[in-house]
Amino acid sequence: MSRDGVPEETPERAAFYKKIGEKSLTPLWAVMSSIITPEPKSGCQSHLWRYAEAKDYLMEAGALITAQEAERRVLILENPGMPGESKITTSLYAGLQLVMPGEVAPAHRHSQSALRFVLDGHGAHTAVNGERTMMEYGDFVITPPMAWHDHGNETDEPMIWLDGLDIPIVGFFDTSFAEGYPDDEQPVTRITGDSLARFGANMLPVDYRHEKASSPIFNYPYARSRDALEVMKQQGEWDPCHGLKLRYVNPADGGFAMPTMAQHLQLLPKNFETSRYRSTDATVFVAVEGGGRTTIDGQTFNWGPKDIFVVPSWKSVVHQVDEDSVLFSYSDRAAQQKLGLWREDRGNV
Ligand code: GTQ
């Protein structure tokens, strides 16, 4: 079967297409090669956002609108290949959220899953299902689908984090539901740290039955994940494509922490250069520590702490670091694997 051509459009054919178009019919052969492509073909472009620059604009937004009025004071990281679509990849959303001292981002819930990756400030909280968690640099925090959540900052510093949501996926399936809570904040009914103690100590409550799509842990503290990488580093076993890379896990079933999105944390030791790698899950990376450069299909982006970059589906990636460096990443791999769509190419290493 030829994959690269569209049959010639003769005047008779054009007239026919026009005639059937009025009846909501259209010929497959005119579009076949653009809708069933031999390899992923995407409007998503490789791009890097320098954190310092984005933060300046976010602080400027802080003077223009309150968290209360905005509901969420967020600057969307919009992929330059898909302007106006509120997307960082074809399937995922990303934004930088600011909560100023004394502010509350009021409680609401929606069918979209959200992750937070904390970038600035410390000690502000997010509340999920009656429990507050205090957020520190590098913490990975989950808001499961339809869970009430509000964010508050009782510290004296601005708090900024990266939001990652599956908004385009939920939109694609036409399954968006959202509602506001009657009060700004939900009542606190559980002790801070309860879910981490209950589910994050390599144990589960006796008789626990896991019925939810998301992990019962909702804050994966950076301190713990980082310590694990530091201990493993001493073993000196490096994956050629990933260095040392850990997957955030739902302790109840061993799956990904969220139903649609997968998250990873990786350590690349000083002067490491990864082997070319590509996969079908377009991925958002956040540099957490260190510095280096990443080459995506021949285009090189230099990064330092807190910079954010996106790698489109099936584009080859090479990371090179000048010092020990840590990268957080998220993608739609959890959804792709459930649907049997995910592929990777390790270049035979
Ligand atoms: O914090 O609940 O960036 O609902 C976009 C939508 C954050 C949130 C976003 C949201 C939120």
Side-chain angles (χ1 to χ4, degrees), residues 180-239:
Y181 193 77
D183 300 319
D184 280 352
E185 294 181 287
Q186 63 186 292
V188 177
T189 56
R190 306 194 69 84
I191 288 166
T192 291
D194 181 85
S195 55
L196 191 60
R198 227 168 262 269
F199 301 101
N202 305 320
M203 306 178 96
L204 292 174
V206 65
D207 295 333
Y208 176 71
R209 283 251 174 90
H210 187 66
E211 277 149 9
K212 299 213 160 132
S214 284
S215 171
I217 298 173
F218 78 108
N219 187 346
Y220 291 74
Y222 185 62
R224 283 171 63 166
S225 311
R226 183 67 183 86
D227 278 355
L229 289 172
E230 199 58 30
V231 172
M232 290 167 65
K233 177 182 147 183
Q234 295 163 43
Q235 189 68 33
E237 286 172 6
W238 309 102
D239 180 288

Side-chain angles (χ1 to χ4, degrees), residues 73-95:
R73 189 202 291 107
V74 176
L75 294 184
I76 300 174
L77 303 181
E78 196 167 68
N79 193 287
M82 299 178 287
E85 296 189 39
S86 306
K87 294 173 172 182
I88 190 161
T89 70
T90 307
S91 63
L92 297 177
Y93 160 102

Side-chain angles (χ1 to χ4, degrees), residues 158-190:
M159 189 90 195
I160 298 173
W161 60 78
L162 177 75
D163 285 321
L165 284 87
D166 55 6
I167 294 170
I169 296 179
V170 174
F172 177 77
F173 287 113
D174 280 336
T175 50
S176 178
F177 293 92
E179 60 189 308
Y181 193 77
D183 300 319
D184 280 352
E185 294 181 287
Q186 63 186 292
V188 177
T189 56
R190 306 194 69 84

Side-chain angles (χ1 to χ4, degrees), residues 71-76 93-97 105-106 108-110 112 114-116 126 143 149-151 161-165 167:
E71 188 166 335
R72 297 293 184 264
R73 189 202 291 107
V74 176
L75 294 184
I76 300 174
Y93 160 102
L96 287 169
Q97 178 158 179
H108 70 191
R109 63 177 183 171
H110 40 67
Q112 291 82 0
L115 69 85
R116 329 280 168 197
T126 193
T143 310
H149 54 285
D150 47 271
H151 316 299
W161 60 78
L162 177 75
D163 285 321
L165 284 87
I167 294 170

